Amino acid sequence: MTVYDIVKSRLKEIPHNEKLLSLKYESLDYDNSENQLFLEEERRMSHMGFRCLEIRRWVICGLIGFLTGLIACLIDIAVEELAGYKYSAVKQNIEKFTEFGGLSISLILWAALNSAFVMVGAIAVAFFEPIAAGSGIPQIKCYLNGVKIPCVVRLKTLAIKVFGVICSVAGGLAVGKEGPMIHSGAVVAAGVSQGRSTSLKKDFKIFEYFRRDTEKRDFVSAGAAAGVSAAFGAPVGGVLFSLEEGASFWNQMLTWRIFFASMISTFTLNFFLSIYHGKPGELSSPGLINFGLELTLEYIPFESFLFFPYYFPGGMLGALFNVINYWLTIFRIRYIHRPCLQVMEAMLVAAVTATVAFAMIYFSNDCQPLGQDSTEEYPLQLFCADGEYNSMATAFFNTPERSVRSLFHNPPGSYNPLTLGVFTLVYFVLAVWTYGLTVSAGVFIPSLLIGAAWGRLFGILLSTITSSQSIWADPGKYALIGAAAQLGGIVRMTLSLTVIMVEATGNVTYGFPIMLVLMTAKIVGDYFIEGLYDIHIKLQSVPFLHWDAPPTSHWLTAREVMSSPVTCFNRVERVGRIVDVLSNTSTNHNGFPVVAHTTENEEPGKICGLILRSQLIVLLKHKVFVERASSRLSQRRLQLKDFRDAYPRFPPIQSIHVSQDERECMMDLNEFMNPTPYTVPQETSLPRVFKLFRALGLRHLVVVDDENRVVGLVTRKDLARYHLGKDGLEELQLAQT
């Protein structure tokens, strides 16, 4: 077998069709089942009981913020220590061989250290928990939208995520640690709110009331906001991010609890970082990124017109970034799907990043004076004169966060236009190539760095046209606007990103131009392609429901989109039939309408309620049969606690043993079914069905005829398969991808 045949066999293509909707994703049960058990528990609970539940919600949000802040502190310290060791070792090596020759050894050392860090992180992700790859924001968006993404909020995912992002950033990739912080906060929230760890099989017997999807969703929203707050030091921005980009369902009471979690997260991070830096009590460090941009120069309203050139490049460059990354991701899905290949690609990108950075620094002749008050972390002299440092190294020979700060803070004259122009182009390519690797990494900071570079370049060009002493030609402010434009063009965030940038910089002066830039970047970018997160959700074939139904879909009715025929159960059903239906792998239904006794001619029965697969499994596990209840055998009456104890990993039906005699027994579903499920007539238009389904967070919507008989069932996949394409309304095919 030739080398070509070996490579060809390893690069076996996995066909990927964007017109498919995956059947492997299930929905979450955001709609509460108001059965008899639920109503009885609510009646028994006193006013003080409800007050105690509310206090517990605040306590949980405080714990979420505290633990998220601790994790952010751990990541920040670990990255700082590892990156400091790496850059110090490479710097000493470069200084050693600059005079005597042999800089190729320095290049090999840099590339080897990068590849080693990235290899360890990529192995952890690819072989142990693939869901920990990327920023995690698309997966959290799907979770909050109502889609059950396997393993997305597991403890193992959190551990791999934290370890992986430390390795990725320390490995010199064009990535940031801010996106993974949002995912980490969500995982913390999902675990803390349940009062137990199913992975560790440890139950602390607390917060049992919150063991259901509805409550868990609200806490995950708080965790995502706490992650934003820890990353950028932006509590208000965290709340708005969770509202704009994450949460699909919202209420007023949730806002203050989320803000509380965000505040605790920021305070915790700043407190422990101040202790680590030997400055206890100084809580001025706003988050991991710590822009610290203090633009004391006066802002002139006329400058909003000078920012006009930023409005369109941000959207167009963001769209270009997304288009290239879109095709690159498809290539990865088709060819680089084996863990070993994914690790090799990550190592290749790490080595290339180091090589390109070294070459850019080597051939750059942009030398700047190194003053006593210089803030350069790892200044490289290389071929510059004594007392000078290589300006290109400031951008490349640093962590991305420090590079962003240098572009914001460094005084005019710190970079020449050629350095910024070449850096923008090269780093753009590296960032596009890096996002989507099988490593834990975010896109926030690379986007800000690219935008800050070309933004500062524009500020320099402006200062050459006008007086260099002009009060409105400071390049730092243009770096800020460019950073916002580039990030907005990629992720398409508006209000939340405006507040995040204002809070992270500590300067509200530029809120108005930032908002204008972000709105324009979103409008321009959306004209070409969707935002980066939406693209990756689409490429994973997730049945994600947007805010509104597709336009021109009013002519479709519930009868045309529903799934039928529907598997229904009687109020009192034979155990054998329930087991057979649940064991049928070809259907795998999760919700079953309960109807009045079916007639012999198998006409649809009148709707009486709805019962879930998880509820039926718990009933079978506890053998809640009519015969046992009516006989002398004592049978403990089930409570909601029994269902909550089984949540969220309900046992599979195959693990429940039912004897032949028990198959002939009967099961009364009246007490456990939801007697008031949402129903719609079969002539209801698709937009009305969509609005009802989306606004209420439903998983099942029963379709009935004029006599209230069940004729169909609308699920998430029935609605998600319709979308507006280039040729009008299109219907996606369902497949087990």
Side-chain angles (χ1 to χ4, degrees):
M1 180 179 287
T2 63
V3 175
Y4 173 78
D5 294 330
I6 296 175
V7 173
K8 186 176 179 181
S9 63
R10 292 194 175 185
L11 291 177
K12 184 179 180 182
E13 179 180 357
I14 289 183
H16 180 266
N17 190 347
E18 300 173 35
K19 303 299 182 183
L20 296 179
L21 203 64
S22 178
L23 286 171
K24 70 180 180 180
Y25 295 107
E26 298 295 336
S27 297
L28 294 164
D29 294 300
Y30 284 166
D31 183 33
N32 285 327
S33 179
E34 296 182 349
N35 53 23
Q36 292 183 24
L37 298 182
F38 177 82
L39 296 177
E40 289 174 5
E41 183 183 68
E42 294 288 304
R43 290 193 196 100
R44 289 194 304 266
M45 194 173 295
S46 63
H47 177 70
M48 183 57 67
F50 284 108
R51 292 290 298 271
C52 290
L53 283 177
E54 188 63 21
I55 292 174
R56 289 176 189 172
R57 289 189 178 97
W58 284 90
V59 170
I60 291 173
C61 287
L63 288 173
I64 291 170
F66 178 74
L67 293 176
T68 303
L70 279 181
I71 291 174
C73 184
L74 169 66
I75 293 175
D76 191 47
I77 293 174
V79 168
E80 186 174 334
E81 292 293 333
L82 291 176
Y85 167 77
K86 183 189 75 173
Y87 287 122
S88 297
V90 175
K91 182 177 183 295
Q92 292 175 7
N93 196 274
I94 290 176
E95 291 174 347
K96 175 182 178 182
F97 288 104
T98 299
E99 184 177 354
F100 303 104
L103 279 173
S104 57
I105 298 178
S106 302
L107 169 60
I108 294 173
L109 175 64
W110 191 358
L113 288 174
N114 272 17
S115 299
F117 280 124
V118 172
M119 179 187 69
V120 175
I123 288 176
V125 172
F127 287 94
F128 296 99
E129 197 55 84
I131 196 68
S135 66
I137 295 179
Q139 288 80 8
I140 297 301
K141 280 189 65 173
C142 292
Y143 182 91
L144 295 175
N145 189 259
V147 183
K148 185 185 294 183
I149 306 294
C151 304
V152 72
V153 289
R154 296 275 178 86
L155 179 62
K156 180 182 176 183
T157 303
L158 174 62
I160 299 297
K161 195 83 179 184
V162 171
F163 178 76
V165 73
I166 291 172
C167 294
S168 300
V169 179
L173 292 176
V175 299
K177 51 183 180 284
E178 285 64 31
M181 269 310 308
I182 298 170
H183 188 183
S184 300
V187 180
V188 168
V192 170
S193 63
Q194 304 304 290
R196 68 177 177 187
S197 172
T198 51
S199 300
L200 300 178
K201 296 180 173 57
K202 180 66 175 177
D203 193 341
F204 298 98
K205 305 295 182 182
I206 56 174
F207 308 141
E208 295 175 340
Y209 181 85
F210 306 118
R211 293 176 184 176
R212 47 180 168 159
D213 288 339
T214 311
E215 297 283 353
K216 193 174 181 179
R217 172 199 65 205
D218 292 345
F219 291 120
V220 169
S221 300
V228 174
S229 183
F232 295 98
V236 179
V239 176
L240 293 176
F241 173 86
S242 193
L243 172 61
E244 178 183 13
E245 196 70 14
S248 299
F249 314 100
W250 201 261
N251 62 69
Q252 191 174 7
M253 287 300 298
L254 186 61
T255 305
W256 287 107
R257 291 201 299 268
I258 290 181
F259 180 70
F260 177 65
S262 300
M263 288 290 293
I264 294 295
S265 176
T266 302
F267 177 83
T268 302
L269 171 67
N270 293 338
F271 177 77
F272 284 103
L273 282 183
S274 67
I275 294 176
Y276 169 73
H277 291 297
K279 300 176 181 179
E282 295 186 15
L283 306 180
S284 59
S285 174
L288 290 185
I289 175 71
N290 185 12
F291 288 155
L293 182 63
E294 298 176 359
L295 295 176
T296 55
L297 295 179
E298 181 184 356
Y299 167 66
I300 304 175
F302 176 72
E303 281 186 293
S304 295
F305 297 99
L306 294 178
F307 294 140
F308 182 79
Y310 288 92
Y311 295 173
F312 298 98
M316 290 187 289
L317 286 175
L320 178 62
F321 186 101
N322 293 354
V323 168
I324 298 174
N325 189 262
Y326 166 79
W327 289 110
L328 184 59
T329 303
I330 289 181
F331 176 83
R332 285 173 172 145
I333 292 174
R334 290 178 174 174
Y335 297 104
I336 311 177
H337 47 82
R338 294 183 179 179
C340 56
L341 293 177
Q342 294 169 342
V343 173
M344 290 171 62
E345 185 197 15
M347 293 176 62
L348 173 64
V349 175
V352 170
T353 301
T355 303
V356 170
F358 186 88
M360 298 290 291
I361 297 171
Y362 184 86
F363 291 106
S364 173
N365 58 0
D366 184 6
C367 297
Q368 302 294 337
L370 184 63
Q372 294 181 350
D373 56 345
S374 176
T375 59
E376 305 304 322
E377 195 72 22
Y378 311 105
L380 284 180
Q381 180 180 355
L382 212 62
F383 301 118
C384 295
D386 292 340
E388 293 184 339
Y389 69 95
N390 190 299
S391 182
M392 183 69 80
T394 305
F396 267 120
F397 198 70
N398 240 328
T399 59
E401 286 87 351
R402 294 187 183 277
S403 298
V404 172
R405 285 202 295 272
S406 68
L407 288 170
F408 284 172
H409 281 288
N410 285 9
S414 300
Y415 301 90
N416 67 38
L418 180 62
T419 298
L420 291 174
V422 175
F423 173 79
T424 300
L425 178 62
V426 171
Y427 204 82
F428 182 92
V429 174
L430 291 175
V432 171
W433 189 14
T434 303
Y435 190 79
L437 292 175
T438 310
V439 294
S440 299
V443 75
F444 274 71
I445 297 304
S447 304
L448 291 174
L449 183 52
I450 295 168
W454 64 258
R456 190 178 177 102
L457 173 61
F458 175 78
I460 293 175
L461 296 179
L462 182 65
S463 65
T464 60
I465 299 174
T466 61
S467 172
S468 60
Q469 285 79 28
S470 175
I471 200 171
W472 42 269
D474 178 68
K477 67 180 74 173
Y478 295 96
L480 170 65
I481 302 298
Q486 183 66 51
L487 180 55
I490 292 176
V491 300
R492 311 293 160 78
M493 293 159 53
T494 52
L495 181 60
S496 59
L497 186 54
T498 301
V499 177
I500 287 173
M501 296 295 290
V502 168
E503 287 187 282
T505 57
N507 195 318
V508 74
T509 310
Y510 296 94
F512 178 67
I514 287 175
M515 173 57 81
L516 288 180
V517 166
L518 290 175
M519 289 178 61
T520 310
K522 176 176 173 56
I523 294 172
V524 173
D526 285 342
Y527 179 80
F528 297 101
I529 194 172
E530 298 172 295
L532 186 64
Y533 299 142
D534 293 326
I535 289 174
H536 280 261
I537 289 173
K538 184 178 178 181
L539 288 174
Q540 294 172 28
S541 303
V542 178
F544 187 89
L545 294 182
H546 295 279
W547 287 107
D548 297 305
T552 72
S553 61
H554 284 82
W555 57 274
L556 283 173
T557 62
R559 184 197 301 114
E560 295 169 283
V561 303
M562 68 184 185
S563 300
S564 63
V566 184
T567 303
C568 301
F569 290 129
N570 295 314
R571 285 175 174 268
V572 180
E573 186 61 79
R574 190 171 64 87
V575 172
R577 181 169 184 267
I578 294 176
V579 173
D580 292 339
V581 170
L582 297 183
S583 303
N584 188 353
T585 56
S586 62
T587 55
N588 199 29
H589 296 315
N590 283 280
F592 304 93
V594 180
V595 298
H597 186 65
T598 310
T599 58
E600 293 183 357
N601 55 6
E602 296 185 357
E603 289 184 358
K606 290 187 177 181
I607 183 71
C608 298
L610 183 76
I611 194 163
L612 303 177
R613 169 184 288 267
S614 58
Q615 294 174 310
L616 291 171
I617 286 178
V618 173
L619 295 178
L620 289 172
K621 180 181 178 181
H622 290 275
K623 302 189 183 300
V624 183
F625 305 145
V626 175
E627 289 77 7
R628 287 198 170 193
S630 58
S631 66
R632 295 180 179 178
L633 295 174
S634 60
Q635 181 178 11
R636 182 176 66 84
R637 188 172 183 272
L638 286 189
Q639 298 178 348
L640 281 181
K641 183 181 184 302
D642 297 294
F643 295 90
R644 290 168 181 159
D645 287 342
Y647 176 86
R649 301 186 193 178
F650 295 96
I653 185 62
Q654 292 78 10
S655 66
I656 298 176
H657 175 71
V658 178
S659 65
Q660 192 62 38
D661 292 338
E662 290 173 336
R663 287 180 59 89
E664 301 303 321
C665 294
M666 305 300 290
M667 181 182 289
D668 189 354
L669 306 179
N670 286 283
E671 187 180 5
F672 310 101
M673 70 179 184
N674 182 7
T676 56
Y678 291 100
T679 62
V680 292
Q682 54 186 341
E683 298 301 326
T684 308
S685 67
L686 175 61
R688 293 182 71 86
V689 172
F690 191 99
K691 187 177 296 184
L692 181 65
F693 196 97
R694 180 69 167 77
L696 297 176
L698 303 181
R699 185 174 185 178
H700 310 96
L701 185 60
V702 183
V703 182
V704 297
D705 60 11
D706 298 337
E707 298 181 8
N708 215 30
R709 294 179 299 188
V710 178
V711 295
L713 197 67
V714 176
T715 63
R716 169 178 294 272
K717 298 182 182 71
D718 296 323
L719 298 177
R721 72 174 191 256
Y722 293 97
H723 77 112
L724 189 65
K726 296 181 179 178
D727 301 322
L729 193 66
E730 296 178 351
E731 182 178 355
L732 303 177
Q733 299 299 316
L734 301 177
Q736 198 73 38
T737 59

